[in-house]
Amino acid sequence: MFDRVPLIDVGALVDGVSGRAARRSVAERIGAACRESGFFYVVGHGVGAGLQAHLETLSRRFFALPVDEKMAIRMARGGAAWRGYFPVGGELTSGRPDRKEGLYFGSELGPEHPLVRAGTPLHGPNLFPEEPPGLREAVLDYMAALTRLGHSLMEGIALSLELEDDYFATRYTADPLVLFRVFNYPPGPGTAEDGRPAWGVGEHTDYGVLTLLKQDSAGGLQVKSRDGGSVRWVDAPPIDGSFVCNIGDMLDRMTRGVYRSTPHRVLNRSGRDRLSLPFFFDPGWSTEVRPIDAPALAQASAPEDSTERWDGRNVHSLQGTYGDYLLGKVGKVFPELRTQVL
Ligand SMILES: O=C(O)CCC(=O)C(=O)O
Ligand SMILES: [Fe+2]
């Protein structure tokens, strides 16, 4: 059981000049956090404050538009690429509508890209709004910066498992599946009509390897800490200039449960809009994610924990590619869209 999310300065992993000892010492701290909670804050990450502030300003401007203007780029128009806007209540993370609206983005891929030509779901061009101008460039710059950071952190995670630092890049993330979302959680009642909490995002784990979340100052993110039968929800409050980093189901699978993909949820109690920007750095679509054969994981047992898991699934018994896994998940959180576009 943990009671806080640790903060790690990852400068040595991203600065391009630090030596092996400094990189390993950061990696060890990451490894400890992945084992304990699956969550950590990163600072010293090198992503420009100006770029972040610019994207935040433009995102707020977009969400402030009338809903019918936002619906001009609704997700149904993005087709199988799964891009665009969804209104409050349009996404069901754990079977119930979330109290949030959002924009879905991903790697910007043109019609000539082989995966787009083959009609691969979740691959294609983005839908950018006309208003506010500049959002397109800000989103693309931000995704490029976070993709670089994702590669650096995966090197740290590899080092933390005593693997070569390019272990994940050579097998899974040389061409990562990048999904990026900008969410706005409106202020509102803490409870739904049936008296249950009106979650901004219901309890879930993330699907891929690594999530990098930028959150504004509103707060509301909670991480599940568990010890046997007892559960405690630990706050991950905003820390200026940091990203909240958490590992996803595929890293849980690769490490046979040693690095946990930890359930989390959001309740916006701030009384104002909450803006958050989760960036998902995931294995390539057609990769088959396998357990890592490494001495550091020799004792790992791949727990059969499906009854404890939020979705009742066991990530250790998956068959197929990451794309298959992701599609199963995405179809559940957007049931209407699934029938329209897939
Ligand atoms: O908005 C947040 O703070 C968390 C969002 C999240 O957990 C997700 O999109 O997977
Ligand atoms: Fe999440």
Side-chain angles (χ1 to χ4, degrees):
M1 182 156 258
F2 57 91
D3 54 18
R4 53 181 277 278
V5 174
L7 182 133
I8 304 177
D9 184 332
V10 296
L13 290 176
V14 304
D15 64 12
V17 296
S18 290
R20 195 155 175 88
R23 289 166 60 77
R24 287 195 72 91
S25 125
V26 174
E28 270 167 33
R29 299 193 61 201
I30 292 179
C34 290
R35 285 180 157 82
E36 193 179 47
S37 64
F39 267 78
F40 50 98
Y41 294 90
V42 296
V43 291
H45 45 64
V47 178
L51 169 61
Q52 295 185 55
H54 183 53
L55 179 55
E56 189 171 333
T57 304
L58 294 179
S59 301
R60 287 191 198 282
R61 253 181 235 159
F62 173 79
F63 288 119
L65 295 171
V67 75
D68 52 332
E69 276 182 50
K70 296 186 273 194
M71 289 298 269
I73 55 160
R74 63 188 172 276
M75 286 184 78
R77 297 197 47 202
W82 221 273
R83 309 294 165 91
Y85 172 74
F86 70 90
V88 175
E91 182 171 11
L92 290 72
T93 298
S94 45
R96 290 162 56 86
D98 295 335
R99 260 194 73 76
K100 67 176 183 338
E101 60 183 329
L103 281 166
Y104 267 52
F105 300 107
S107 303
E108 175 71 13
L109 303 175
E112 72 298 338
H113 190 281
L115 287 171
V116 181
R117 275 232 293 269
T120 317
L122 285 94
H123 291 71
N126 286 295
L127 287 179
F128 292 107
E130 275 175 27
E131 290 290 329
L135 187 66
R136 173 194 177 91
E137 291 70 25
V139 165
L140 294 178
D141 288 352
Y142 186 86
M143 287 198 296
L146 276 269
T147 300
R148 283 193 293 277
L149 178 58
H151 283 294
S152 299
L153 293 175
M154 289 315 291
E155 290 178 7
I157 288 175
L159 290 174
S160 77
L161 293 164
E162 291 163 35
L163 302 166
E164 290 302 315
D165 53 13
D166 63 354
Y167 180 91
F168 296 104
T170 53
R171 288 162 182 80
Y172 301 112
T173 53
D175 186 15
L177 183 70
V178 165
L179 299 174
F180 173 49
R181 289 152 196 186
V182 183
F183 290 146
N184 182 52
Y185 300 79
T191 42
E193 277 166 18
D194 60 8
R196 295 205 269 171
W199 300 113
V201 183
E203 173 180 346
H204 69 283
T205 54
D206 294 349
Y207 315 143
V209 285
L210 203 62
T211 305
L212 289 162
L213 173 84
K214 173 179 166 58
Q215 55 172 338
D216 74 1
S217 60
L221 174 62
Q222 299 177 340
V223 183
K224 194 175 197 172
S225 176
R226 190 167 29 201
D227 186 8
S230 63
V231 166
R232 173 164 165 211
W233 286 92
V234 173
D235 287 329
I239 297 182
D240 221 20
S242 74
F243 295 109
V244 179
C245 185
N246 65 286
I247 63 164
D249 297 340
M250 292 303 107
L251 206 52
D252 194 320
R253 172 172 168 73
M254 287 186 224
T255 60
R256 279 173 279 148
V258 174
Y259 287 12
R260 304 307 301 268
S261 61
T262 302
H264 49 285
R265 64 187 190 189
V266 173
L267 190 59
N268 178 14
R269 287 204 185 90
S270 67
R272 58 183 197 273
D273 283 326
R274 172 182 190 264
L275 195 75
S276 86
L277 299 88
F279 173 90
F280 303 90
F281 184 89
D282 289 358
W285 182 259
S286 351
T287 58
E288 282 189 39
V289 175
R290 298 181 196 287
I292 299 168
D293 188 16
L297 296 169
Q299 306 299 321
S301 61
E304 207 303 270
D305 58 357
S306 47
T307 52
E308 288 171 24
R309 283 182 62 91
W310 67 285
D311 57 356
R313 299 273 307 269
N314 179 355
V315 288
H316 306 293
S317 60
L318 289 180
Q319 301 276 331
T321 62
Y322 180 59
D324 296 332
Y325 182 69
L326 187 58
L327 215 47
K329 296 285 190 183
V330 169
K332 280 208 187 80
V333 297
F334 287 108
E336 260 174 51
L337 266 179
R338 180 186 53 198
T339 48
Q340 281 170 32
V341 303
L342 290 181

